[in-house]
Amino acid sequence: MEKPVSLTPEHIRDEKVKVLQSVLPIRPEDVVIGQYEGYTEDPTVSKDSNTPTFATVVLRIHNERWEGVPFILKAGKALNSRKAEIRVQFKDVPGDIFRCNKHGRNEFVIRLQPSEAMYMKLTVKQPGLEMSTTQSELDLSYTQRYQGIVIPEAYERLILDTIRGDQQHFVRRDELKVAWEIFTPLLNDIDNGEIKSCTYKRGSRGPEEADKLLARVGYEQTHGYVWIPPSLQVD
């Protein structure tokens, strides 16, 4: 969203509604849904169920700031990791004289859970005499930087906001309406069987078709790099 006029709840929620109103209708080719192998073996699930346990959707925002930038939403069950994060991937640098694109693109990551953190994944010179590069990160891990400070859970914060009468973190009626208008046509297509679920193995990244969709819209997966939350060191 754009910067609100002030930090009052209504001004913040006004800007949230504006950006949702700028989201273009979802195209079928920008959607991949999946269902993990063995889901229909559950006795409570129909054998011909098309209920997704995974989804990747590409949203496009039609305004001056975000025109041409794909927003990728991905969620699923029985995947290889359990996390919630926002990942901003930067484009390749033209004229890469260090030939470091092989390491992957620079990324700014906001890790919501678990292990709350913000880190910048970037290519740096590897220590030593040789001119070689590797990937590392600039890391702000909350549990390490703010030791002794209790970080409240999301619902704790919402309950406190309710007591205080602060509504900025709650969804307003018009925001909820616009959000449903974005996804209702897609949900209808799924219910009508127009979009079929792809199967994927438990413990994987999801369907291969989802990775192909991300590659088509310009996202490049980094291979070989894993962010490791720093451990606390007590003297």
Side-chain angles (χ1 to χ4, degrees), residues 10 55-56 72 110 145 151 155 170 175 180 183 200 224 226:
E10 289 308 307
T56 292
I72 301 168
I110 303 174
R145 179 64 179 86
I151 301 176
Y155 285 107
F170 292 85
E175 179 185 349
W180 274 108
F183 285 100
Y200 64 96
V226 178

Side-chain angles (χ1 to χ4, degrees), residues 53-70:
T53 59
F54 173 95
T56 292
V57 180
V58 179
L59 297 183
R60 304 176 190 276
I61 299 177
H62 182 56
N63 64 19
E64 184 178 6
R65 184 181 300 277
W66 299 116
E67 187 75 33
V69 178

Side-chain angles (χ1 to χ4, degrees), residues 18 25 31 36 41 58-59 77 102 122 133 155 164 193 198:
K18 287 181 183 178
V31 178
Y36 64 81
E41 295 176 4
V58 179
L59 297 183
K77 296 181 178 180
K102 61 181 180 181
L122 70 170
T133 57
Y155 285 107
R164 291 175 171 174
C198 307

Side-chain angles (χ1 to χ4, degrees), residues 216-233:
R216 179 168 60 80
V217 299
Y219 178 81
E220 290 189 6
Q221 182 186 354
T222 300
H223 297 278
Y225 171 86
V226 178
W227 177 72
I228 302 176
S231 59
L232 297 177
Q233 295 182 354

